[in-house]
Amino acid sequence: MNQKITILDLPFINTTQEKFNQELVKRLQKKLNTFIVTANPEIAVYAHDNPAYKQLIQQADYITPDGIGIVKASQMLNKPLTERITGFDTLTSLLEIANNHSLKIYLLGAKPEIIQQTVQNIQQKYTNLQLVGYNDGYFTDKQPIVADIKEKQPNIVAVALGYPKQEEFIARNRNISDAVWIGVGGSFDVLSGKVKRAPKIFQDLHLEWFYRFATHPTRLKRIKVLPRFIKLVKKEQH
Ligand code: UDP
């Protein structure tokens, strides 16, 4: 894999989704314990403000540039990243890989009705993967979930608790199964069919963020962070 590109102290992998998928297949075959963070500008700013969280995500095996904001920042710093690698696309790739190799997957996060629907949709579409367990993301006691994951020994654990919770959960518990652990944010909301991904034209124009904001105005917080993100990146230019 190419040299990493550091933005706000986070070393981003500089590769394509396809090459990254190939690397994940190899790691899955070797059962290497793997922690993936898919970081957008909001996460980068949060990490800047919270050193403990920054340290925790710096322990990840891969930090991927999730979102066009990170790619633009890399261009501003004259060290352009090849392409964005999102949590949703990586999760989709992992589902395909799991389906091809009949791997075990565990899903954690989202509201009870969302995770139920996500499980149904995945089982319908990926008939060859083994969905060994799941739990919604609104639990008070994590111990039964940790015990369940430990017992099932999945190859892949997708955690959708939003940041920083999902990365904290992974960092604290990844030792219980030699799996690929990935924080996937709102991906189950999309997989359940509740939230629609932006039409392709918006994706191609890199205006997915605008579409999602227009359809879900609560996402304003994500856009609000951008000026500060850019300011922090500019400071790195000197
Ligand atoms: N979520 C959860 N438990 C919590 C808080 C959030 O399961 O205590 C879920 C929420 O239902 C949603 C996802 O985590 O499915 C967060 O999605 P969002 O797009 O806000 O994630 P972000 O991109 O902020 O990490």
Side-chain angles (χ1 to χ4, degrees), residues 38 40 42-43 53 66 108-112 114 135-139 159-167 183-190 194 212 219 221-222:
T38 64
N40 57 20
E42 214 185 333
I43 289 186
Y53 179 71
D66 186 348
L108 172 62
K111 297 195 177 122
I114 297 281
N135 205 94
D136 69 72
Y138 295 87
F139 48 87
V159 186
L161 302 173
Y163 80 91
K165 274 192 199 163
Q166 59 195 23
E167 286 78 25
V184 293
S187 294
F188 296 169
D189 298 88
V190 180
K194 189 188 159 232
R212 287 162 87 189
R219 297 179 69 91
K221 65 180 169 93
R222 260 163 241 238

Side-chain angles (χ1 to χ4, degrees), residues 7 39 41-42 83 89-90 110 120 127 147 166 172 174 185 196 214 217:
I7 299 169
E42 214 185 333
E83 71 182 29
D89 290 336
T90 306
Q120 268 190 31
T127 49
Q166 59 195 23
R172 289 201 187 112
R174 60 184 285 201
K196 295 265 174 292

Side-chain angles (χ1 to χ4, degrees), residues 37-74:
V37 173
T38 64
N40 57 20
E42 214 185 333
I43 289 186
V45 170
Y46 185 82
H48 176 84
D49 293 340
N50 297 272
Y53 179 71
K54 187 198 269 184
Q55 231 177 32
L56 188 143
I57 63 174
Q58 281 171 336
Q59 289 163 23
D61 299 284
Y62 302 99
I63 302 181
T64 80
D66 186 348
I68 198 63
I70 300 286
V71 175
K72 288 269 180 242
S74 73

Side-chain angles (χ1 to χ4, degrees), residues 32-188:
L32 291 179
N33 192 304
T34 304
F35 175 14
I36 305 171
V37 173
T38 64
N40 57 20
E42 214 185 333
I43 289 186
V45 170
Y46 185 82
H48 176 84
D49 293 340
N50 297 272
Y53 179 71
K54 187 198 269 184
Q55 231 177 32
L56 188 143
I57 63 174
Q58 281 171 336
Q59 289 163 23
D61 299 284
Y62 302 99
I63 302 181
T64 80
D66 186 348
I68 198 63
I70 300 286
V71 175
K72 288 269 180 242
S74 73
Q75 290 163 353
M76 276 170 58
L77 296 169
N78 278 325
K79 29 187 193 181
L81 283 155
T82 315
E83 71 182 29
R84 70 184 190 138
I85 298 178
T86 68
F88 184 79
D89 290 336
T90 306
L91 176 61
T92 306
S93 302
L94 284 169
L95 288 168
E96 275 159 19
I97 295 166
N99 200 43
N100 290 338
H101 300 266
S102 190
L103 298 179
K104 290 188 229 167
I105 182 156
Y106 197 102
L107 307 178
L108 172 62
K111 297 195 177 122
E113 67 275 17
I114 297 281
I115 184 72
Q116 292 275 1
Q117 191 60 51
T118 301
V119 165
Q120 268 190 31
N121 293 356
I122 288 178
Q123 278 172 334
Q124 220 167 47
K125 186 161 179 201
Y126 305 96
T127 49
N128 200 38
L129 61 71
Q130 306 177 59
L131 212 164
V132 291
Y134 65 90
N135 205 94
D136 69 72
Y138 295 87
F139 48 87
T140 41
D141 180 8
K142 72 166 194 165
Q143 279 323 316
I145 299 168
V146 172
D148 195 28
I149 299 175
K150 197 169 175 183
E151 192 197 319
K152 308 270 175 59
Q153 288 296 302
N155 306 100
I156 297 164
V157 186
V159 186
L161 302 173
Y163 80 91
K165 274 192 199 163
Q166 59 195 23
E167 286 78 25
E168 284 164 3
F169 184 92
I170 294 173
R172 289 201 187 112
N173 300 294
R174 60 184 285 201
N175 63 322
I176 60 173
S177 186
D178 284 330
V180 168
W181 295 75
I182 179 170
V184 293
S187 294
F188 296 169

